[in-house]
Amino acid sequence: MNAPLYNAEILRLTTAIPHDQRLRDPMASAERRSPICGSRVTVDVNLDEAGRVAEVGMLVRACALGQASAALLSAHVIGRSVTELAAARDELAAWLEAGQGDAPAWPGLDIFAPALTYTARHPSIRLAFEAAAQAAEAAAAGSHG
């Protein structure tokens, strides 16, 4: 792969994370950390009556790849079901693990194609999706905090 790891779109996303404030009283929250680089993402969620994300809040303390991934998650998470979030998390992890193939269907994830061969960067890219899926699952189960 000849594309730079930190391309202009990734760097742009680091400054444009939607929902970048924690929720006051979330139904559930989850924090994920990368032991490799110390990146950390906390996601708060509130679900609607249909079990879809109605509100999301985030605290992102991550490298550029983690921030960009959080921005992509946050921009498209409202209205997603618990099942859709779990699928997005699993598809992202599988794509990164495979190191090849088409990016998952979640909008924008193809910007991480240059990172496929940088396995040490994969945990940062997964953080927001892992935290969102975990928080949504906890909210659906009625577990707060």
Side-chain angles (χ1 to χ4, degrees):
M1 298 203 172
N2 295 331
L5 181 59
Y6 297 101
N7 59 49
E9 180 63 8
I10 286 174
L11 296 176
R12 184 193 67 76
L13 286 169
T14 67
T15 64
I17 301 173
H19 312 289
D20 64 347
Q21 299 292 316
R22 303 277 315 263
L23 297 179
R24 283 190 180 268
D25 189 24
M27 293 173 75
S29 300
E31 179 181 278
R32 301 291 294 171
R33 295 177 188 214
S34 170
I36 295 172
C37 68
S39 290
R40 180 179 51 150
V41 175
T42 305
V43 177
D44 302 323
V45 297
N46 286 327
L47 303 180
D48 64 17
E49 310 79 38
R52 295 187 171 278
V53 175
E55 293 180 294
V56 66
M58 301 177 77
L59 176 63
V60 180
R61 300 290 182 254
C63 66
L65 295 173
Q67 290 177 45
S69 182
L72 291 173
L73 170 87
S74 186
H76 303 284
V77 72
I78 301 297
R80 300 287 183 138
S81 70
V82 174
T83 303
E84 288 172 311
L85 289 176
R89 173 201 59 209
D90 296 346
E91 290 167 8
L92 176 58
W95 179 58
L96 292 170
E97 179 69 25
Q100 63 184 6
D102 293 331
W106 194 277
L109 289 180
D110 57 327
I111 67 166
F112 296 115
L116 288 174
T117 58
Y118 295 89
T119 57
R121 303 293 189 197
H122 295 178
S124 295
I125 296 169
R126 294 192 319 259
L127 291 177
F129 284 84
E130 290 173 350
Q134 183 180 352
E137 289 166 353
S143 171
H144 297 292

